[in-house]
Amino acid sequence: MTSSEIRQHFLDFFQSKNHLIVQSAPLVAKNDPTLMFNNSGMAQFKDFFLGNGTPPAKRVADTQKCLRVSGKHNDLEDVGFDTYHHTMFEMLGNWSFGDYFKKEAITWAWELLTEVYKLPKDRLYVSVFEGDTKDNVPFDQEAWDLWKPIVGEDRIILGNKKDNFWEMGDTGPCGPCSEIHVDLRPQSEVDQKPGKELVNADHPQVVEIWNLVFMQFNRKADGSLDPLPARHVDTGMGFERLCMAIQGKLSNYDTDVFTHTIKVIEELSGISYKGSQRDYPDVAMRVIADHIRAVSFAIADGLVPSNARAGYVIRRILRRAVRYGYSYLGFTEPFLTKLVPTLAMQFADVFPELNAQRDFVATVIREEEASFLRTLENGLKLLDKITSDLAQSGGKEIDGETVFELNDTFGFPSDLTALIAREKGLSIDEAGFQKALQQQKERSRKDASSATGDWTELTDIDGVEFVGYDQTEAEARIAKYRKVQNKQGTQYQIVLDRTPFYAESGGQIGDTGSLELRVGDETVLIRIADTKKENDLIIHISNDKNLEEVLDHHTAVLAKIDTHRRIAIEDNHSATHLLHAALRQVLGKHVGQKGSYVGPDALRFDFSHFAKVTDDELAEVERIVNDKIRENIPLNERRNVPIDEARNLGAMALFGEKYGDFVRVITFDPNYSVELCGGTHVPATGQIGLFKFTSEGSVSTGIRRIEAVTAEKALALLNEQQATLDQLKELLKAPKDVLKAVQNLMDERHQLQKKIDVLEAEKLQKVKADLLTKVYSANGHFVIVERIEVPSADALKQLAYDLKAKLDNLALVLGSDINGKPQLAVMLPDELIKTKNLHAGTLVKELAKEIRGGGGGQPFFATAGGTDATGLDRALAKGRELLQ
């Protein structure tokens, strides 16, 4: 049975059990502050378990793309060294939202595994929760009683809280779970030791394949458990492990999920894959086969490698793959990009987003590879110098701070540093590196730390009604609130039953405004500083102090947004739609939105394009957008449009976004701009008034960024530019042709600079000639120690090198006061460096103390700068003494 058939059988089976089959959510988690990536099958359904939204059906099944490379769910360092860990993996799951519970979940799981997939019953084991006295949760007798007639008591294992009690996070829905494990060992090993003894013992062939979670409780911030109002089922089955079991393999990497990719790696490298766990070329192939999936699908879902948060994680995964290919397979040129077509075709039926963006994904990966290969080369040169200096000094270990700096600043992995060190008979200070790494993590954790209290429930609601498309104010009731401590201080997060406040989403920032409450005869205002979306919950954030008294006793409010600010945001948001369409018209249909920011002051639009947008292209795009504004095209907004109908209308959907069965379609002329969008917009394009670019540039490989202003801000920009032009004309005595006048000035300045350069060169030659008359000998080498006048630090350096060219065995210290800033230069001959173990960098640091400065450099040449020019003579005197 192929992997595609295995996946389809799962979906077909649960469809026959009246489950709705839904699409996978993107890898990158949206509107969930607790997650960077979707790391489990249940992530996209989290809101339904929390009671903040209504599921599309009471029974659902899917295959979800997951990524586990950060936080407590981090499998990255295990990938490649065993047979079953992955960064990205598929999680097959079936879900019940207040419908069926343990009986159906257990019997259907057994039916699918043994009757559809034909897994041998005598190789399967199950576990149930043994209970926990601390949480006051009893032994899961119900699950035991259900499993006993199916598998018998001898195949049931009791599991503790770590193994058999599943929690969504520190707070939230949780409950006991029942795991299904499979024993894939040869019969000879099974005869010697039963698989029951190896369950949860990290044996590579006795592995968990399915986890049936029974959501019964809600974990509160104080650690206590409350029963959920409705019980749910949340199951997750590792697709790759399931394929290993059904296809009779001993490694996930031997299944057809990975063999196509590994075959291409073999062809590219000329090395055969043997499946060894100790052979590093084999480890490298597993790492690459795994990592290319994670990187490719993350980019296809709208994420690009970068130095920030999720983008940095993807960059780290990609670099790990490149490093293994470089170190163990001999890849010195980009190679990962060549694996993308195979991967795209393999998953075209189930995850078509990769195949749809195959060229874009391949190009981003190629550029990232090329960049990191250069980093590797530079890192090797730097590491070579470090090891050489260490060898000269008789050291045997690279200190942990240096290893950390190589890793953190230069992107040079610590394990590669260790490998190269071993090859040169050295080692690394692993403990020191881990200490530095932990200190960085502590700093990051401290920066990101926050404490969130439990919700105080005031009014029962089924969900939050957003009325902001039609209203700027609305009467509402406070449903719940909680107190949050973070870097901003104390904040209150407030949820209403209905609200006109738009929560930050899709690039549009959240609304600000106020909640008006009547307290006796007075009106109390609660200022709302921001509005965020947490899953499907709209949260109003206030920085006001001590709100408990008001919130606990007054739930009726009048919610009012800042309307002037909203109008400015709408101008910019609608302009981004006009901009997107214009870019596709001018640059080509390959242009796709890759991110945006829509605020009241400006808009930012990121898009896929592999070349700088020329001035002529920018001018044409700007002309088109302003033409559409002047046409005053009315907004055509359609809500709750079936997704298939929206696509037939030609609506552009963004890769990396999760759309439901019904969507909102925003149209400004059906022949120009039709997009799926949840944001707020102008009633007609004429309201935007004016559109003006402020910048265009590169964000990352294959991603360009345009920034622009509209309406009042665009007019203010033009007025500012006109004022600058008027001032320039006045300075130039009102010339008829301003450009020609400025060009004449620049030409004149260029000619004068050339004359200055000639004069300074002549002066420098005179200084050099004068210094050559002041050379004296000391201990077999020439010495020059003088204070001179030079125009710049570069001239000082040039002079030192010119003197060295004249005198082979020269030691010099030169000092100069350059525009009030003291500068020093030290040059040492090779003989002094070798015989007296001198170092120009060390020497210049000592001299720089006299000018209240610092510096450094190479053993033979170094420079320093300072703030106290009165110390120059003292520094030179000290230099003369040290060179005797």
Side-chain angles (χ1 to χ4, degrees), residues 256-266 285 288-290 292-293 339 342-343 346-347:
D256 67 339
V257 178
F258 293 100
T259 51
H260 303 295
T261 304
I262 290 175
K263 183 179 179 182
V264 179
I265 299 170
E266 287 181 300
M285 289 191 192
I288 293 164
D290 171 273
I292 188 62
R293 283 205 312 169
L339 306 177
T342 299
L343 204 61
Q346 179 181 342
F347 290 94

Side-chain angles (χ1 to χ4, degrees), residues 120 122-125 181-186 190 193-196 198 203 205-207:
D122 62 351
R123 291 300 189 96
L124 297 174
Y125 297 88
H181 299 255
V182 62
D183 185 353
L184 303 175
R185 295 174 301 153
V190 174
K193 191 170 190 175
K196 185 176 182 179
L198 298 173
H203 192 287
Q205 275 86 54
V206 183
V207 294

Side-chain angles (χ1 to χ4, degrees), residues 85-195:
H85 274 107
H86 304 290
T87 48
M88 178 193 145
F89 59 95
E90 285 186 60
M91 187 69 84
L92 303 170
N94 59 290
W95 320 84
S96 166
F97 304 109
D99 188 25
Y100 65 81
F101 202 47
K102 296 181 184 179
K103 179 180 178 182
E104 293 84 352
I106 287 172
T107 55
W108 288 342
W110 189 255
E111 179 186 350
L112 178 62
L113 291 177
T114 61
E115 296 182 25
V116 177
Y117 291 138
K118 306 296 184 183
L119 288 177
K121 298 177 181 180
D122 62 351
R123 291 300 189 96
L124 297 174
Y125 297 88
V126 301
S127 62
V128 299
F129 183 48
E130 67 182 9
D132 186 84
T133 54
K134 183 179 178 182
D135 278 337
N136 196 29
V137 178
F139 160 63
D140 194 350
Q141 186 69 53
E142 183 181 0
W144 175 278
D145 292 341
L146 288 166
W147 277 120
K148 182 178 176 181
I150 295 174
V151 299
E153 289 188 25
D154 61 330
R155 291 188 173 273
I156 304 177
I157 299 152
L158 294 183
N160 58 23
K161 181 179 176 180
K162 176 179 176 293
D163 292 325
N164 282 85
F165 193 88
W166 197 92
E167 305 201 43
M168 184 166 60
D170 294 333
T171 60
C174 54
C177 60
S178 188
E179 298 175 340
I180 304 174
H181 299 255
V182 62
D183 185 353
L184 303 175
R185 295 174 301 153
Q187 188 60 45
S188 58
E189 292 186 26
V190 174
D191 293 340
Q192 292 179 9
K193 191 170 190 175

Side-chain angles (χ1 to χ4, degrees), residues 444-459:
S444 299
R445 191 177 296 116
K446 186 176 180 180
D447 289 342
S449 64
S450 65
T452 303
D454 286 320
W455 288 108
T456 298
E457 307 275 353
L458 302 175
T459 306

